[in-house]
Amino acid sequence: MKILVLGSAAGGGFPQWNCNCGNCAGLRRGTIAASARTQSSIALSENGQDWLLVNASPDILVQLRANPALQPARAVRDSGICAVLLMDAQIDHVTGLLMLRERTAPLPLYATAQVFGDLSDGLPLLRVLGAYCGVERHVLGEGAVTLAPLAETLLAVVALVSKAPPYSPHREAPRPGDNIGLVILNRTNGRRAFYAPGLGVPTDDVARVMGASDVLLVDGTFWSEDEMIVQGLSAKTAAMMGHLPQSGPGGMIELLDRMPAARKILIHINNSNPILREDAPQRALLARHGIEVAWDGMEIDL
Ligand code: MLT
Ligand code: MN
Ligand code: ZN
């Protein structure tokens, strides 16, 4: 099976519309070695025609244009997207649902009860979509699921300690299910991937799942805890936003060093992160630890 990275950036994308940080300004001017990135989404397929979209990014239309494999054109109105699964209810992961409203049938949507709650209440996208294609709700719980066209793929949810979206009434008291990681198991060859773009705290459970994975596709948002503060971009730390930074004691690099996975890939990268520069020392350090940085269009075989 194939995992296709549609968007490898965190909320805001790279460059971000209103940002003049060194990375965003440098990319616009063409003075740094870096590539533009759209907001956070991946797609999974076994046959290259039917795709499970994981997260619906605000950049979905651009992503679909850049990836014709998701448009197999089998009918006058058609899409390769057979269903959407959400990792959380954050703006950068859900607002693309509105762009899929022209579907000719209700959209099969997989999410936790907590995410369905936020999308019915704080950000009532489901009610809005009800006036268009509508959604077919599938609540994700403890058990593993298989979606019809991806018959050889087993998907299992891992509850993460992270953050509900800023608009959510649960922002400061997050519940299990506000934010999930996803185990993707290829039943044909037994290989496993773990996808977690919003990994705040690596609990023992999470570390166990990561330790049993062949491919890790995990939170690459920030290099350091105070990166946004130091650059004058925001008053928020990585922890306040529910993200584990890469550097420092207890950071993502240390965590990944303990993992036997053949591929360790950072995804959901914020535009302030120095690893976006291909010639940055931080990037070289990642390479020495065997850690890759996802890019839009990256394909991973599982
Ligand atoms: C996050 O994951 O914290 C988001 O990227 C923030 C946002 O979308 O504004
Ligand atoms: Mn995000
Ligand atoms: Zn920026």
Side-chain angles (χ1 to χ4, degrees):
M1 75 161 307
K2 185 185 284 187
I3 302 174
L4 175 59
V5 176
L6 299 177
S8 53
F14 178 47
Q16 178 173 316
W17 69 281
N18 65 343
C19 191
N20 297 300
C21 74
N23 283 347
C24 289
L27 185 71
R28 269 186 218 105
R29 290 197 203 105
T31 54
I32 62 168
S35 310
R37 283 167 163 82
T38 61
Q39 295 168 84
S40 189
S41 175
I42 63 172
L44 316 178
S45 184
E46 291 175 4
N47 61 8
Q49 292 233 328
D50 299 295
W51 295 84
L52 170 66
L53 186 68
V54 182
N55 296 324
S57 163
D59 299 321
I60 178 87
L61 299 183
V62 173
Q63 294 169 343
L64 291 177
R65 265 175 234 137
N67 292 279
L70 274 78
Q71 180 46 272
R74 297 159 295 196
V76 66
R77 283 277 166 102
D78 186 33
S79 166
I81 298 170
C82 56
V84 178
L85 187 150
L86 302 173
M87 307 302 288
D88 54 48
Q90 296 264 14
I91 300 259
D92 60 338
H93 285 161
V94 304
T95 46
L97 290 173
L98 293 172
M99 302 305 124
L100 303 178
R101 67 192 177 282
E102 295 95 350
R103 272 181 68 93
T104 50
L107 174 69
L109 185 63
Y110 292 76
T112 61
Q114 290 74 19
V115 167
F116 276 122
D118 275 340
L119 296 184
S120 305
D121 182 8
L123 179 62
L125 287 186
L126 301 180
R127 181 159 52 76
V128 174
L129 279 171
Y132 299 86
C133 61
V135 303
E136 187 188 291
R137 295 186 193 211
H138 299 270
V139 178
L140 292 172
E142 302 261 300
V145 294
T146 294
L147 279 71
L150 280 76
E152 290 307 314
T153 308
L154 208 61
L155 302 166
V157 165
V158 180
L160 300 179
V161 178
S162 188
K163 287 280 185 177
Y167 69 77
S168 168
H170 308 284
R171 174 71 168 178
E172 295 313 325
R175 309 150 298 171
D178 280 326
N179 207 290
I180 61 168
L182 190 68
V183 176
I184 304 161
L185 169 67
N186 180 340
R187 293 201 287 190
T188 311
N189 60 17
R191 282 165 51 84
R192 272 165 210 265
F194 180 62
Y195 174 57
L199 181 53
V201 180
T203 58
D204 291 347
D205 272 358
V206 169
R208 208 168 314 118
V209 170
M210 288 175 73
S213 301
D214 302 284
V215 175
L216 295 169
L217 207 50
V218 291
D219 194 329
T221 313
F222 298 117
W223 176 258
S224 51
E225 183 62 28
D226 60 355
E227 168 178 320
M228 302 255 273
I229 300 170
V230 169
Q231 296 187 49
L233 304 174
S234 159
K236 291 179 187 163
T237 62
M240 286 162 79
M241 297 181 70
H243 297 293
L244 179 70
Q246 284 107 56
S247 63
M252 186 63 85
I253 297 173
E254 268 192 20
L255 178 65
L256 290 176
D257 276 346
R258 288 166 28 212
M259 302 299 159
R263 297 193 66 182
K264 303 170 181 180
I265 304 168
L266 297 175
I267 195 161
H268 187 276
I269 304 149
N270 199 55
N271 56 72
S272 54
N273 193 326
I275 65 172
L276 286 168
R277 299 193 190 206
E278 278 143 37
D279 54 4
Q282 292 89 344
R283 186 70 172 262
L285 183 73
L286 290 182
R288 287 200 294 281
H289 288 263
I291 301 171
E292 303 170 66
V293 178
W295 39 277
D296 292 16
M298 182 183 207
E299 288 182 14
I300 300 150
D301 282 317
L302 185 69

